[in-house]
Amino acid sequence: MPQPARRPRPRRLLTALALAALALLGPALLVVGQLGVAADEALAASGDRVAGTVVEASDSQRASQRDVVVAYRGHDGVERTVVAKSDHEQVARAGDAVEVAVDPADPDRAVVLGFESGWTPVAGMGIVLSAIAVLIAAIALVTRALRGRAARQADAPADASSARR
């Protein structure tokens, strides 16, 4: 007699949806972050060089909060600011002179040379979310395999006793 179709449990459905969201969001953030980093690197290589001055520097222990705000004057004479990320080895203080690469076609687009791209944390978050998705999927697969094995072992003695009759 055929078994009735099993309806997915709400918890399993929510887990599957969360895993699917992580599996899509992680790589998407990684790609977007890497494209942003590549664009910043291209600007650093080809942009016009101008002098900049650090106007604000966060000295936080948390990497996500280590921002450096730099003021620069574009070729059009307008003063602008750009934000960059610093790593733990970089010590920037207000008043420090830095070099900024500016897009000649769009003076609002600039990167601070020698500092990390603002897109680096986006790519990092993509890596973290992707790793979490892979870990959850691996745990789910192992758990499912172990449950299937336990179910087969539980059915095996019943089959063996009915075969003796």
Side-chain angles (χ1 to χ4, degrees):
M1 174 176 347
Q3 298 256 340
R6 290 177 52 186
R7 290 182 21 210
R9 294 185 204 151
R11 191 176 94 200
R12 282 189 184 171
L13 183 60
L14 287 175
T15 302
L17 288 174
L19 181 59
L22 284 175
L24 295 173
L25 185 61
L29 286 174
L30 179 59
V31 168
V32 168
Q34 285 301 103
L35 289 174
V37 168
D40 283 355
E41 287 174 354
L43 179 58
S46 65
D48 292 342
R49 304 287 198 267
V50 297
T53 304
V54 175
V55 292
E56 185 180 329
S58 171
D59 192 22
S60 173
Q61 291 300 316
R62 298 184 66 185
S64 63
Q65 296 175 349
R66 293 184 61 90
D67 293 335
V68 175
V69 180
V70 174
Y72 67 95
R73 188 174 306 277
H75 294 303
D76 58 2
V78 177
E79 188 166 311
R80 296 175 172 83
T81 59
V82 62
V83 178
K85 297 286 183 188
S86 65
D87 61 27
H88 288 289
E89 288 81 37
Q90 289 174 311
V91 178
R93 298 194 196 320
D96 287 353
V98 293
E99 192 172 22
V100 179
V102 180
D103 185 343
D106 180 9
D108 287 327
R109 188 167 167 262
V111 294
V112 182
L113 300 177
F115 289 83
E116 289 184 12
S117 168
W119 291 100
T120 303
V122 176
M125 185 58 70
I127 291 170
V128 169
L129 291 178
S130 296
I132 291 170
V134 168
L135 181 64
I136 291 171
I139 290 170
L141 288 173
V142 168
T143 302
R144 186 174 184 163
L146 291 175
R147 284 183 184 162
R149 185 176 186 190
R152 284 191 301 277
Q153 288 176 349
D155 290 344
D159 291 341
S161 64
S162 64
R164 286 188 233 158
R165 294 185 193 166

